[in-house]
Every structure is written in structure tokens, then in C-alpha cells.
């Protein structure tokens, strides 16, 4: 009963409807009625409503290959016929095709009615068998008898490239490691069908191919286990006698797979496995967070390695005299599992700072360089000049002069406009004549060519890169891939005859530029 009384009192004290309304005289402004108008939609709303947008894309390519259904991670061309291209991708597939397309007689600016049609390239062969991404592909050197593919499934597969049908039949395969990071064909004249691979478990394997051996076509020459983390990159000396590898653990090793260094009296005092060994235990060599790239000078006198935080080290290499080598006339055959060497982790060879490389400077640190701010992804020496080009994740390219104590010849800070530089390579249609030219690609989806002698060279493409890049020697640039964070970028390229550049796109397309 009391609850009812209290409720009645609350109702009596509640304001009436008239009292709750705002008196017109108390209003600061009276807004007149206005019929409703639709709200303006921003760009995102228009896209959400399915409105079409016109996107202007620049495509400078002559032809394209687009049968991959995922990113193209690797690309290689045949050593005898550079127009024969092999690509491997995230679709676990390798394709072989010809990039021998006719070049226009005149540049588009001279044509009265320039055509925009591009050739769709057809495959010579489609190679399957990997169960994960193909991230390494190369031909053996010499005559290019075999095509090698390596995958994240740990398989290395060997296909014959000399059959009359050009269908690249599978000759052999092996799976000794969890994942393959790289394949490096050996340039030694006595071992034309030999190659090395580096794996994510740190191991390094050297194989030779013998198609005449009915029992084992793919034979192990050597296997090394000194790296304690992923073996990220490897390169042979120009004569193919020594192999250099680097790792995420910061280690650097020079291997003597054919025994030619040992025959010349060059051995390591701490281990029979590596002729030279440097690790992060030596603070003068140490690069925190590891090494990711390596290149060897044209003379074979020293190697440059690139790692995290823009750090570079150059190291003197053994100089082998050909006359002291016995294996040049007595090629070694693979010995299978019996040649899989083991051993404890090797310690560093004592090193000192030096300006140049001689035979007495084997294993010495010749230079410690740091110009760029992020990881060094790619290194390349000019084959005819004393230039070292370095590409970084920070989007810049640095040109060093190895003949002048590695002085900085040029620092192209906006080479790829803040996107990672993936690959740099010297050369052009005529190697000797155009050895000053450097080609680069990056995650901005653009391929660029630079004249490393000085300023820009007059050409149709020089103005395309803007004034700042032109002042840094930009000769030409080619566009056509997606990039700039749009699910694309250029993950590699090869140079072919006739001045053509063939790319491996993160967008799953290979483009042919000239």
C-alpha cells in the first residue's frame, strides 16, 4: 500500500508534457525545415557500393608470360641461348618459355600510330613435381645441359634441357634438406654439370650430374655443416675452384670442394672443411642479425658480404695458381654419402684491416662499410670496372669503387622510392661497351637502368624518373608490374640479347622489356 502511495506522489511531481517543451523564446536559433538530401559518399563508400574506377596503368613491356597462378619467385636464362627463360613460383610449378620477341623498328614516340598490343608468350615446357613453392631455378653452365629447380619442399630436381622435343624430361631428384634457399651452378671448366645448394638448416651441398651413370644420375660431391643457421646465399669464384657461403648466424666460409686449394698448399689450421672461416665470434667481422648476400670480385681476389643494418664486409680470398692444380685434368666424380663431411664449428681465422687483396691476405677483412640503414639484399661487381653495387631494403643503391679503398662513388637514396631493392646487375646488350650500366629492380614494381659514370645519359626514358633520379644517372625505367604495396613488385630479372630485360613479378607475371 505504501508503494502505491509513493508511486502516486512521484507521478504528481513529474513535469507535464507542456513543461518539458522548450519555450521558443529560449532558443538561440530556429532552423527552418529543409527536405532531406543524400549524403556525399567518399571514395571508400563508392568502392563499397561497386562503383567502377578508372585506373591508369603504365605498361612498357613488349610481351608477357602470365601462366603462373602465384608469385614468380625466381628466374634464370639459358647460358647458350639467353632468350630461353625458366621461372619458378608459388604455384609449385616451373615454366620454360622463349622471350625472343621482335623489337619495334622505332620507339613509340616516333611511330605515327603506336600499337599497344603485346605478345602473349607460350610455354615450351611446364614442369611439376614440387610440393611447395619453387624458389630457386638455374641452368648448369657450359652448354646448359640441365635445368635445376629447388623448392621449399627441400627437393632439387634435374631436368634434361638437350632433348629434341624440348619438353625437359626429369632426369633425377634428391631431397636431403627441409628447404632450399639457393642454387649456384659451378663455372669450373672441368665440372660443367656441377652445382651447389644452400639450405635453411645451414647445410651446403655440392652435386654433380652424370647422365651416363645408370645407377645414380645425381651424385653428392661434398656436404658441409659448419653454418648453425640458415645458409642464405652462396657464390663461386670466377674459375669455379672455390665456393663462398654465408648464413643468418653471421658466418662466412670458403669451401674447397675439388681439393685444388689443398693441392696448392692452402689449408685451414683449425678445420679441414673450410679454407677460410669467419664468424660472429670475431667482433671485427660480426654483423648482428646475420648475413644475406655475397658476391665475388671478377678477379676472385676478394668477396663482399652484406648483412643486416646496412653492414658490408670485404674479405680476401685464396689465389690459386692453375698450374698447381691437378684436378683440372682429372675431374672428380661424386662419392655419394661417404663424402658428406662432418665437423665441429670452425673458429675465425685472425683478421686485420687492409686496403687491397694479395695472396698473403687470405681471410683478412679488407673493408668494413656501412652507408645504408637496412639489410643488404643484393651485391654485384662490374665485370670490367672496379665497381661494386649494393642494394638495400631501405630502397637505396650505393656504388663503391674497390680500386680506391671502396670510396663511395654514388649514393642513390631514392633509387626505388623507399621500397626494397631486390636485385642489381651490371651489363647490357654489349657487356664490354655497356659495363658501366647497372640494372636494378625493387618492390615498387619498377625496373631501372643507371649510368654509373656520372650524370644521366640522354634517352627517352631518362626524364621519366624525375629530376633527382636523372641527376643520379638514371638512363631508363620500365613499368608494368604492380608495386608500391599493391601486392606486387619485381622479385628478379635476367638480361638477354638485344638489350631485353625479362622480369619475375610478385604479381605472377613475367614481362619482357627493351
Amino acid at each position: 500500500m505504501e508503494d502505491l502511495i509513493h508511486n502516486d506522489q512521484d507521478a504528481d511531481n513529474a513535469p507535464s508534457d507542456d513543461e518539458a517543451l522548450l519555450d521558443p523564446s529560449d532558443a538561440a536559433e530556429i532552423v527552418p525545415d529543409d527536405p532531406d538530401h543524400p549524403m556525399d559518399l567518399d571514395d571508400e563508400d563508392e568502392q563499397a557500393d561497386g562503383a567502377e574506377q578508372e585506373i591508369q596503368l603504365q605498361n612498357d613491356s613488349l610481351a608477357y608470360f602470365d601462366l603462373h597462378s602465384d608469385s614468380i619467385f625466381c628466374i634464370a636464362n639459358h647460358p647458350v641461348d639467353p632468350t630461353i627463360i625458366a621461372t619458378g613460383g608459388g604455384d609449385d610449378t616451373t615454366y620454360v618459355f622463349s622471350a625472343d620477341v621482335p623489337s619495334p623498328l622505332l620507339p613509340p614516340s616516333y611511330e605515327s600510330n603506336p600499337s599497344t598490343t603485346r605478345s602473349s608468350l607460350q610455354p615450351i615446357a611446364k614442369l611439376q613435381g614440387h610440393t611447395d613453392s619453387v624458389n630457386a631455378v638455374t641452368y648448369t653452365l657450359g652448354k646448359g645441359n640441365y635445368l635445376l629447380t629447388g623448392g621449399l619442399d627441400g627437393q632439387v630436381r634435374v631436368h634434361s634441357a638437350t632433348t629434341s622435343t624440348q619438353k625437359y624430361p626429369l632426369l633425377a631428384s634428391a631431397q636431403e634438406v627441409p628447404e632450399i634457399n639457393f642454387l649456384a651452378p659451378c663455372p669450373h671448366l672441368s665440372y660443367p654439370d656441377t652445382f651447389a645448394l644452400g639450405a635453411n638448416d645451414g647445410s651446403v651441398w655440392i652435386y654433380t650430374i652424370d647422365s651416363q651413370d645408370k645407377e645414380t644420375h645425381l651424385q653428392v660431391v661434398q656436404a658441409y655443416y659448419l653454418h648453425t643457421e640458415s645458409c642464405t646465399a652462396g657464390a663461386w669464384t670466377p674459375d669455379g675452384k672455390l665456393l663462398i657461403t654465408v648464413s643468418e648466424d653471421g658466418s662466412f666460409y670458403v669451401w674447397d670442394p675439388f681439393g685444388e686449394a689443398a693441392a696448392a698448399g692452402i689449408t685451414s689450421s683449425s678445420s679441414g672443411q673450410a679454407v677460410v672461416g669467419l664468424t660472429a665470434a670475431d667482433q671485427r667481422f660480426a654483423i648482428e642479425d646475420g648475413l644475406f648476400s655475397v658476391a665475388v670480385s671478377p678477379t676472385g681476389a676478394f668477396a663482399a658480404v652484406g648483412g643486416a643494418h646496412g653492414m658490408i664486409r670485404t674479405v680476401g680470398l685464396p689465389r690459386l695458381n692453375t698450374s698447381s692444380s691437378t684436378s683440372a685434368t682429372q675431374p672428380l666424380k661424386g662419392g655419394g654419402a661417404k663424402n658428406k663431411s662432418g665437423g665441429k664449428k670452425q673458429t675465425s681465422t685472425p683478421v686485420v684491416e687492409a686496403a687491397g687483396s694479395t695472396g698473403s691476405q687470405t681471410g683478412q677483412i679488407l673493408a668494413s662499410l656501412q652507408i645504408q640503414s637496412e639489410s643488404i639484399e643484393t651485391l654485384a661487381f662490374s665485370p670490367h670496372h672496379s665497381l661494386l653495387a649494393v642494394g638495400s631494403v631501405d630502397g637505396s643503391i650505393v656504388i663503391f669503387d674497390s680500386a680506391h679503398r671502396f670510396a663511395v662513388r654514388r649514393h642513390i637514396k631514392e633509387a626505388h622510392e623507399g621500397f626494397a631493392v631486390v636485385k642489381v646487375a651490371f651489363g647490357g646488350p654489349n657487356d664490354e661497351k655497356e659495363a658501366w650500366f647497372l640494372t636494378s629492380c625493387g618492390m615498387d614494381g619498377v625496373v631501372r637502368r643507371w649510368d654509373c659514370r656520372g650524370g644521366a645519359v640522354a634517352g627517352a626514358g631518362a626524364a621519366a624518373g624525375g629530376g633527382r633520379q636523372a641527376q643520379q644517372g638514371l638512363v631508363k625505367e620500365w613499368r608494368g608490374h604492380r608495386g608500391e604495396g599493391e601486392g606486387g613488385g619485381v622479385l628478379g630479372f635476367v638480361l638477354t640479347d638485344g638489350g631485353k630485360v625479362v622480369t619475375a613479378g610478385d604479381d605472377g607475371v613475367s614481362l619482357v622489356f627493351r
Side-chain angles (χ1 to χ4, degrees), residues 70-72 419 443-445 481-491 505-509:
D70 206 333
S71 300
I72 301 176
F419 291 88
M443 294 307 293
D444 57 350
H481 289 284
R482 293 200 310 268
E484 301 184 359
E486 298 297 328
V490 183
L491 302 182
D506 195 20
D507 50 13
V509 180

Side-chain angles (χ1 to χ4, degrees), residues 236-376:
W236 293 89
T237 53
D239 57 13
K241 296 177 181 180
L242 302 173
L243 174 69
I244 298 91
T245 60
V246 296
S247 169
E248 286 184 357
D249 64 6
S251 60
F252 165 97
Y253 291 112
V254 180
W255 312 104
D256 179 26
F258 310 119
E260 299 200 19
I266 302 173
T267 58
S268 170
S269 59
S270 57
S271 171
Q273 282 195 283
V275 177
V276 176
L278 298 170
T279 72
D282 187 330
Q283 292 302 311
R284 293 168 293 181
F285 181 77
I287 296 179
E288 187 178 357
D289 299 325
L291 302 173
F292 308 114
S293 53
V294 61
V296 180
S297 66
T299 63
F302 59 91
V305 297
H309 317 297
M311 302 294 291
I312 302 168
R313 301 286 186 268
T314 61
V315 181
L317 298 178
R319 306 299 299 274
L320 303 183
N321 192 340
T322 304
S323 62
S324 65
S325 171
T326 58
S327 64
T329 57
Q330 300 176 0
L332 296 175
K333 290 190 67 176
K338 66 181 180 181
N339 282 335
K340 300 179 185 178
S341 305
K344 297 181 180 179
K345 183 176 179 181
Q346 181 173 335
T347 58
S348 300
T349 302
V351 295
V352 297
E353 296 277 343
S357 178
T358 66
S360 62
Q361 293 176 336
T362 296
Q364 295 185 1
I365 299 175
L366 307 179
S368 296
L369 311 169
Q370 185 182 25
I371 303 297
Q372 291 139 302
S373 60
E374 297 187 45
S375 299
I376 303 302

Side-chain angles (χ1 to χ4, degrees), residues 69-277:
S69 60
D70 206 333
S71 300
I72 301 176
F73 292 134
C74 50
I75 186 169
N77 54 349
H78 196 279
V80 177
D81 183 356
T83 63
I84 300 299
I85 308 297
T87 57
D91 53 3
D92 313 343
T93 304
T94 301
Y95 283 101
V96 182
F97 61 92
S98 173
D100 187 16
V101 294
S103 300
L105 297 178
L106 295 173
S109 58
Y110 285 81
E111 297 181 9
S112 58
N113 185 22
S115 173
T116 58
T117 41
R118 297 173 179 84
S119 302
S120 175
L121 304 176
Q122 299 304 309
I124 294 173
K126 178 181 180 180
L127 310 178
Q128 296 179 301
H130 285 282
T131 59
D132 206 338
S133 298
V134 180
N135 66 329
V137 60
T138 189
Y139 284 91
T140 54
L141 297 181
K143 297 181 180 180
N145 293 329
Y146 305 102
L147 174 65
L148 316 172
T149 63
L152 295 181
D153 57 0
Q155 283 193 81
V156 57
R157 298 173 67 84
V158 180
H159 294 265
S160 176
T162 59
T163 59
S164 58
T165 59
Q166 289 294 309
K167 295 301 182 183
Y168 285 71
L170 179 68
L171 179 68
S173 65
Q175 188 173 9
E176 302 279 2
V177 298
E179 297 178 4
I180 293 175
N181 289 336
F182 69 85
L183 296 170
C186 179
H188 200 303
L189 296 178
S190 298
Y191 310 104
D193 299 326
T194 300
F195 65 95
L197 69 81
N200 71 325
D201 62 0
S203 62
V204 178
W205 297 71
I206 299 174
Y207 290 91
T208 191
I209 305 165
D210 185 357
S211 61
Q212 303 303 316
D213 191 317
K214 296 182 179 180
E215 295 183 0
T216 309
H217 295 309
L218 187 60
Q219 303 170 355
V220 177
V221 176
Q222 297 287 351
Y224 305 108
Y225 304 96
L226 292 186
H227 293 301
T228 60
E229 295 183 30
S230 180
C231 181
T232 51
W236 293 89
T237 53
D239 57 13
K241 296 177 181 180
L242 302 173
L243 174 69
I244 298 91
T245 60
V246 296
S247 169
E248 286 184 357
D249 64 6
S251 60
F252 165 97
Y253 291 112
V254 180
W255 312 104
D256 179 26
F258 310 119
E260 299 200 19
I266 302 173
T267 58
S268 170
S269 59
S270 57
S271 171
Q273 282 195 283
V275 177
V276 176

Side-chain angles (χ1 to χ4, degrees), residues 298 381-387 431-433 435:
F381 283 96
S382 170
H384 302 289
H385 304 289
S386 59
L387 301 182
D431 281 346
E432 289 194 34
K433 182 179 179 181

Side-chain angles (χ1 to χ4, degrees), residues 441-496:
C441 70
M443 294 307 293
D444 57 350
V446 183
V447 180
R448 293 187 170 93
R449 181 160 291 168
W450 312 86
D451 185 348
C452 297
R453 290 174 295 185
V457 175
R468 178 177 298 180
Q469 288 177 327
Q471 292 172 6
Q472 296 291 338
L474 179 66
V475 178
K476 191 174 181 63
E477 69 176 21
W478 297 276
R479 296 177 180 268
H481 289 284
R482 293 200 310 268
E484 301 184 359
E486 298 297 328
V490 183
L491 302 182
F493 63 84
V494 292
L495 304 175
T496 73

